[in-house]
Amino acid sequence: MINLETTLLCGQSFAWRQEGDTYSAVVANRVITLTEKTFVHAVASDQTLSHYFDCAWHYDEAEEYLASIDPHLAACIAQHRSIRILNQDPWETTISFILSQNNNIARITQLHRALCQRWGSEVAEGFYAFPTAEQLRCATEGELRSLGVGYRSSYVLDAVANHELLQRVWELDDLKASHLLQTIKGVGAKVAACILLFAYHRMNVVPVDTWIERVQLNHPHYTSWDLFSPYAGLAQQYLFHHERTQGGAV
DNA sequence: GGCCAGGAGGCCT
DNA sequence: AGGCCTCATGGC
């Protein structure tokens, strides 16, 4: 079981399109098309997809534990059941969240697609993979700006120049990994946390944005995210989505 | 309907 | 503390 709409369209990934109940994207150079009904069968026969959707992880146990800690969080989990944390490509995720700053989901998705169409490989009719660092090396700041990337253009180019450091992140603990990611221009604490949670599966990392600040404001007893350790990142995802869709109401 | 100001899942100098 | 690309949105 999975909540595809919330998992794929609510700010974790910018690669997916929705048409009715059908979701499609290019993952690992293949076009993937899914509905919630075909999901179980699709991942069962496909190791790449199974990993992408994090099927082996113990969500039931983690969510049960989180629900036992706090009633509000329990309600959020019950209501938005089966949000999953994806195992996305670190490079694509890094660029995506550099694009995300001072931006909304619709525009981030649009920029993601623009980069794919301009520099990515066409893997099927009308479907383009996210460009590799090697492919993006051809990009100029002027070209990026003309696509609408704006002042983030120089950040993208700095990430291209330093993309090899993404390999080293796997070996580092959360704090050191965050510091290393922040050596890329345009990557601060928030963007680094998004990369760690959504690409490196660091389940205890919490991206703090304006929505999560609002959660903290409305729930002063959340004195520290350590409350939800070692699953604070998963807790964040439920609290974040609930806050965005229903405000402070429980 | 048209105009304009402030915001949008931050970060740099 | 201000500025930054650009676009959708809401207030007037």
Side-chain angles (χ1 to χ4, degrees), chain A residues 117-163:
Chain A
Q117 291 181 347
R118 174 63 186 81
W119 289 288
S121 305
E122 189 174 26
V123 299
E125 177 101 28
F127 286 91
Y128 294 82
F130 193 81
T132 63
E134 210 47 52
Q135 288 173 317
L136 262 189
R137 202 177 292 284
C138 308
T140 64
E141 175 157 355
E143 227 172 344
L144 286 163
R145 282 180 178 266
S146 75
L147 290 177
V149 177
Y151 66 86
R152 307 164 196 83
S153 299
S154 63
Y155 303 161
V156 170
L157 293 180
D158 192 63
V160 170
N162 293 295
H163 75 275

Side-chain angles (χ1 to χ4, degrees), chain A residues 8 15-19 22-26 31-34 127:
Chain A
L8 298 179
W16 292 85
R17 311 273 168 280
Q18 181 186 34
E19 288 176 52
T22 302
Y23 299 82
S24 58
V26 175
V31 178
I32 305 299
T33 302
L34 288 170
F127 286 91

Side-chain angles (χ1 to χ4, degrees), chain A residues 37-247:
Chain A
K37 282 183 181 162
T38 63
F39 176 78
V40 173
H41 182 259
V43 296
S45 55
D46 188 323
Q47 201 157 16
T48 301
L49 271 194
S50 175
H51 178 252
Y52 180 85
F53 282 102
D54 204 26
C55 295
W57 203 72
H58 49 283
Y59 283 92
D60 288 346
E61 180 191 326
E63 290 173 1
E64 192 177 329
Y65 172 70
L66 290 174
S68 75
I69 292 180
D70 177 68
H72 173 64
L73 179 54
C76 294
I77 293 172
Q79 187 171 348
H80 306 288
R81 184 59 71 186
S82 299
I83 297 177
R84 294 296 176 251
I85 304 294
L86 303 169
N87 288 299
Q88 300 184 87
D89 175 63
W91 166 248
E92 177 173 353
T93 305
T94 298
I95 299 299
S96 294
F97 283 94
I98 286 174
L99 298 177
S100 80
Q101 64 177 272
N102 258 25
N103 238 331
N104 57 55
I105 292 177
R107 247 181 70 72
I108 302 161
T109 304
Q110 174 192 317
L111 290 175
H112 181 283
R113 171 156 38 183
L115 263 56
C116 290
Q117 291 181 347
R118 174 63 186 81
W119 289 288
S121 305
E122 189 174 26
V123 299
E125 177 101 28
F127 286 91
Y128 294 82
F130 193 81
T132 63
E134 210 47 52
Q135 288 173 317
L136 262 189
R137 202 177 292 284
C138 308
T140 64
E141 175 157 355
E143 227 172 344
L144 286 163
R145 282 180 178 266
S146 75
L147 290 177
V149 177
Y151 66 86
R152 307 164 196 83
S153 299
S154 63
Y155 303 161
V156 170
L157 293 180
D158 192 63
V160 170
N162 293 295
H163 75 275
E164 281 137 1
L165 69 81
L166 295 176
Q167 300 278 342
R168 290 160 48 203
V169 169
W170 293 109
E171 304 154 14
L172 303 176
D173 63 42
D174 293 348
L175 189 60
K176 285 182 180 164
S178 175
H179 288 333
L180 180 58
L181 288 170
Q182 288 183 57
T183 62
I184 300 172
K185 281 202 189 95
V187 177
K190 192 272 181 183
V191 169
C194 289
I195 297 167
L196 287 173
L197 181 59
F198 300 138
Y200 292 92
H201 207 260
R202 300 297 175 93
M203 283 299 220
N204 208 27
V205 170
V206 177
V208 177
D209 61 12
T210 54
W211 293 100
I212 288 297
E213 282 175 0
R214 213 171 300 186
V215 170
Q216 289 174 304
L217 209 60
N218 293 336
H219 302 274
H221 61 290
Y222 293 177
T223 50
S224 159
W225 292 106
D226 290 341
L227 263 179
F228 305 123
S229 180
Y231 310 124
L234 182 61
Q236 173 271 167
Q237 200 65 359
Y238 278 102
L239 293 167
F240 167 76
H241 184 62
H242 191 267
E243 193 71 23
R244 283 191 69 209
T245 53
Q246 340 220 336

